[in-house]
Amino acid sequence: MKLQNQIAIITGASSGIGKAVAKSMASEGATVVINYPFENSKADAQAVLDEVLQAGGKGIIFQCDVSAEADVQNMFASVIQQFGTVDILVNNAGIQSDSPFEEMTLNKWNAVIGVNLTGQFLCAREAIKEFLRRGVDESKSLSAGKIICMSSVHQIIPWAGHANYASSKGGINMLMQTLAQEFSPKKIRVNSICPGAIQTPINKSAWSTPKALNSLLELIPYKRIGQPEDIGKAAVWLASDNSDYVCGTSLFVDGGMTLYPGFTENG
Ligand code: BGC
């Protein structure tokens, strides 16, 4: 039980990567706050909680739009009131809203930056306030708190037709590194996970037909699509004391996507 007695808020945990991270952390003893954005994802969040409880874990569901400041402040205040503190934040909530650049509306730009980047800022700020207030409690962890930013291979791989998304992920990298530099002296660890192509609803068009999957696999040296559990395991490690000396790092979990396999027989 690597996360025993720790409280973990996982944003965007009603599906995809967030769901797997919540289940993995709960199986290691964390009490998980399964965040979901709107009423229409409440049933999915509840289903994740049901799985957690059936497996003997602990948790709650909590609605909050991470791009809304008051919502985020309310979520942290409520969780701290109910459980006493927060030990782990997984800044996972993310959306894609793709468009050729010349047609990209300001709404599409703002929506993606709002959830993916501003959402991470707002949640990290509340988490860090709480970590600073509490300090280290060695009965639970060697550090005062852990933040895991869910980034993407697209924090370094440019992505045509996804300027809003790629920009948000590039921004997350610099937010993460800056927070790590600022708060490592306070024993707060901030790191990122950069998933490659993970089989979730966000990229269904890239794996739902054999043709699409085959062309996706050309980009993945390890020749399989990632599973949400691949990210769940990495998140547990980054949140646990097993990674206590890891500060400000991007952990690529991508089957080698960032090895630029197009250069294997070219260039
Ligand atoms: C995106 C997916 C994409 C993957 C690899 C992720 O960040 O959300 O849609 O399949 O990167 O390109």
Side-chain angles (χ1 to χ4, degrees):
M1 287 288 190
K2 298 189 187 75
L3 306 176
Q4 193 72 51
N5 297 327
Q6 299 190 49
I7 313 300
I9 295 180
I10 300 114
T11 65
S14 51
S15 74
I17 288 174
K19 170 181 174 178
V21 170
K23 286 166 59 183
S24 297
M25 290 194 165
S27 75
E28 292 292 341
T31 298
V32 291
V33 177
I34 298 162
N35 159 255
Y36 63 100
F38 303 111
E39 196 58 30
N40 62 7
S41 44
K42 184 173 185 180
D44 289 340
Q46 185 60 46
V48 177
L49 178 60
D50 291 345
E51 281 189 59
V52 163
L53 298 177
Q54 268 157 28
K58 299 182 286 279
I60 59 167
I61 62 171
F62 205 103
Q63 182 180 355
C64 159
D65 171 1
V66 296
S67 67
E69 184 174 30
D71 276 30
V72 170
Q73 288 171 332
N74 174 50
M75 176 168 73
F76 276 80
S78 304
V79 170
I80 292 165
Q81 193 186 30
Q82 186 171 347
F83 296 110
T85 193
V86 175
D87 302 280
I88 299 161
L89 165 66
V90 185
N91 251 340
N92 170 76
I95 57 171
Q96 272 182 236
S97 186
D98 311 330
S99 164
F101 186 69
E102 70 277 20
E103 291 163 19
M104 187 174 281
T105 62
L106 182 58
N107 277 348
K108 276 199 169 199
W109 174 268
N110 283 340
V112 171
I113 297 294
V115 173
N116 296 14
L117 185 56
T118 307
Q120 293 217 10
F121 154 65
L122 291 171
C123 292
R125 194 182 57 179
E126 297 311 305
I128 280 178
K129 279 187 212 164
E130 173 57 14
F131 298 164
L132 291 173
R133 183 199 66 76
R134 173 173 37 72
V136 178
D137 173 355
E138 280 198 12
S139 71
K140 290 197 286 187
S141 176
L142 297 170
S143 67
K146 283 85 54 158
I147 297 178
I148 298 169
C149 301
M150 206 55 73
S151 184
S152 165
V153 290
H154 297 295
Q155 77 172 31
I156 58 170
I157 302 180
W159 204 13
H162 307 74
N164 47 3
Y165 185 85
S167 302
S168 74
K169 297 300 182 178
I172 287 167
N173 181 41
M174 201 40 85
L175 175 66
M176 179 279 289
Q177 288 185 295
T178 298
L179 295 181
Q181 189 192 62
E182 197 164 340
F183 294 106
S184 293
K186 301 288 184 189
K187 292 288 206 184
I188 294 168
R189 294 196 299 111
V190 189
N191 292 286
S192 287
I193 297 176
C194 298
I198 309 298
Q199 191 167 15
T200 67
I202 207 172
N203 58 1
K204 192 156 188 248
S205 63
W207 51 262
S208 54
T209 66
K211 187 165 176 277
L213 184 60
N214 278 336
S215 87
L216 179 67
L217 291 180
E218 282 173 25
L219 300 175
I220 307 174
Y222 206 57
K223 296 298 169 204
R224 74 166 171 87
I225 190 167
Q227 294 304 316
E229 294 68 32
D230 291 316
I231 308 301
K233 290 174 201 163
V236 165
W237 181 72
L238 273 180
S240 77
D241 283 349
N242 286 345
S243 62
D244 186 54
Y245 207 48
V246 180
C247 303
T249 288
S250 288
L251 176 59
F252 286 80
V253 183
D254 68 351
M257 198 173 230
T258 38
L259 299 172
Y260 298 98
F263 279 81
T264 306
E265 288 165 12
N266 256 316

